[in-house]
Amino acid sequence: MDFGLVLQTDPPASSVVGLMRRAERNGFRYGWTFDSAVLWQEPFVIYSQILEHTRLLTVGPMVTNPGTRTWEVTASTFATLNDMFGNRTVCGIGRGDSAMRVAGRKPNTLARLGEAIDVIRELAEGREALVNGNPVRLPWVRDGSLPVWMAAYGPKALALAGQKADGFILQLADPFLTEWMVKAVRQAATDAGRDPAEVTICVAAPAYVTADDSPEALTHARDQCRWFGGMVGNHVADLVARYGDGSDAVPGELTAYIKDRQSYDYSHHGRAGNSSTEFVPDEIVDRFCLLGPAEAHIAKLRHLQGLGVDQFAVYDMHDAKESTIDAYGQHIISALRD
């Protein structure tokens, strides 16, 4: 199993670069960031510094979207980084949540997302693609490689990921939902004539390593990670609006917890103490995240690995960023690779 670190690009950017360097020293192989232009600093600028100051780390957004930038600009940015640093990027992409809504736009349609996946990959790897009906090619690209991984929850999005994406990003670590969604992606890949084993599976969720499993330690860890249930709840609310509550299309294990959700304040998006996440119960935090001593993380990660997960990406947005990176490096990553 590979491991990634996920950060927000809060200033100063030097701190983001420093944490990514720390992650690489501890055995992490991927460095991810949020991509929401209003809420945080521009990630692609920071990627250039991360790549400059690391040797092997692969970097990318978790996740970008087809609406913030034109597709040829996105492809050219990735291709430029790859040309400078040797094909060390990955494009995580989705419909867009905070990046679109904060700017007053709706998330992109799946049809637009599917088209963008093809165009961005083709252009970044030096092939011709149609952009607004016009044939476009980046003539300076040589030996470019850009895997495109898609984030998804709902049945139509899962099908699209299986049909088109090089990887599937699932932003929660619940074993039941992971098994259900991985099966859906792999079935869609098979139906599309693809080898389902070629779709990389990445689970991303907050991880908080505690010294013990005392009630006090677990309560603090839950409070530091409860924001994640609120973030996932934004996507779940879209699914409930589309398919209805209790629909056979979406498991109740994903949708039931948002019944008391009222509103969401994006100014606290992805941050501990977000008051918009008070509706998230402890059970959801425990299911969606990895909490407790290192042994508890190892046990859950082995379960996920058995379900076909190829990478676990640690959302490191809490009051123990450095110690979490170090604990994974000292105790957890080696156990999963062994």
Side-chain angles (χ1 to χ4, degrees), residues 178-242:
T178 298
E179 182 175 17
W180 188 87
M181 294 186 186
V182 168
K183 283 182 177 178
V185 170
R186 286 182 168 162
Q187 185 59 55
T190 299
D191 293 344
R194 305 178 65 196
D195 180 356
E198 293 182 356
V199 181
T200 302
I201 307 297
C202 175
V203 161
Y208 199 103
V209 182
T210 60
D212 54 47
D213 58 359
S214 66
E216 295 79 11
L218 292 176
T219 294
H220 180 75
R222 289 187 188 107
D223 288 344
Q224 286 293 305
C225 298
R226 197 175 306 276
W227 63 265
F228 184 66
M231 186 186 83
V232 174
N234 295 331
H235 303 282
V236 173
D238 286 346
L239 294 177
V240 171
R242 176 179 293 272

Side-chain angles (χ1 to χ4, degrees), residues 35-36 63-68 93-102 105-110 113 151 234-235 238 266 269:
D35 177 14
S36 192
V63 293
T64 193
N65 71 85
T68 302
I93 195 167
R95 293 177 59 225
D97 177 34
S98 63
M100 298 298 288
R101 298 185 203 269
V102 170
R105 307 185 187 103
K106 294 181 179 180
N108 297 270
T109 65
L110 287 176
L113 175 57
N234 295 331
H235 303 282
D238 286 346
Y266 278 95
H269 189 54

